[in-house]
Amino acid sequence: MIDTNATVAIRNKGKSLLSSGILSSEGNFNRGDTISVVVLDPIEQQNIEVARGLSNYASGDLLKIIGKSTTQIKQEYPEMVCEEVIHKDNLVVIK
C-alpha cells in the first residue's frame, strides 16, 4: 500500500518506488518476486492496483524500512544497498 505522492511519482513521472512512499505491506515474498502496488481510493474506499514490479527486498526486510528515507535506511541498515524498493526498470504501471 503506497501513499498518494508515491502514486503520482510512479504514474505521472515514471519514478521508482521508494520506501518513504510505502504505508504498509502484506504477505510473504522474497527478493526478486513480483509484487502488487496498491493505493486506497479515497472515494471508493477500496484498494486500486497502481503497478506490479520486482521487489528488491524480501517482505521481512521491507517491513523494517517502510516509510523511511534513503538516508535513514543507510544509517540504520547499511547492509541494505538498494535505494529503490522497486526500480522503475522493473515496474509496470497499471492505469
Side-chain angles (χ1 to χ4, degrees):
M1 174 83 61
I2 61 173
D3 63 25
T4 54
N5 290 336
T7 303
V8 170
I10 289 171
R11 278 188 171 163
N12 302 341
K13 299 179 181 178
K15 300 286 186 176
S16 299
L17 176 60
L18 303 178
S19 59
S20 59
I22 300 175
L23 300 173
S24 64
S25 177
E26 296 179 7
N28 293 315
F29 50 89
N30 295 310
R31 183 179 194 273
D33 285 352
T34 301
I35 59 174
S36 179
V37 180
V38 298
V39 66
L40 178 64
D41 183 304
I43 297 169
E44 300 287 330
Q45 290 298 303
Q46 63 183 1
N47 292 339
I48 297 174
E49 189 172 33
V50 175
R52 289 184 192 175
L54 302 178
S55 178
N56 287 325
Y57 290 95
S59 54
D61 289 334
L62 181 59
L63 290 173
K64 296 176 186 177
I65 63 171
I66 285 176
K68 295 185 179 188
S69 70
T70 303
T71 304
Q72 286 176 298
I73 295 166
K74 286 180 181 179
Q75 290 173 349
E76 294 177 29
Y77 304 101
E79 71 279 6
M80 294 188 189
V81 295
C82 294
E83 291 188 12
E84 305 89 358
V85 174
I86 304 176
H87 190 277
K88 64 182 178 182
D89 292 344
N90 297 321
L91 187 68
V92 177
V93 177
I94 300 170
K95 293 192 178 191

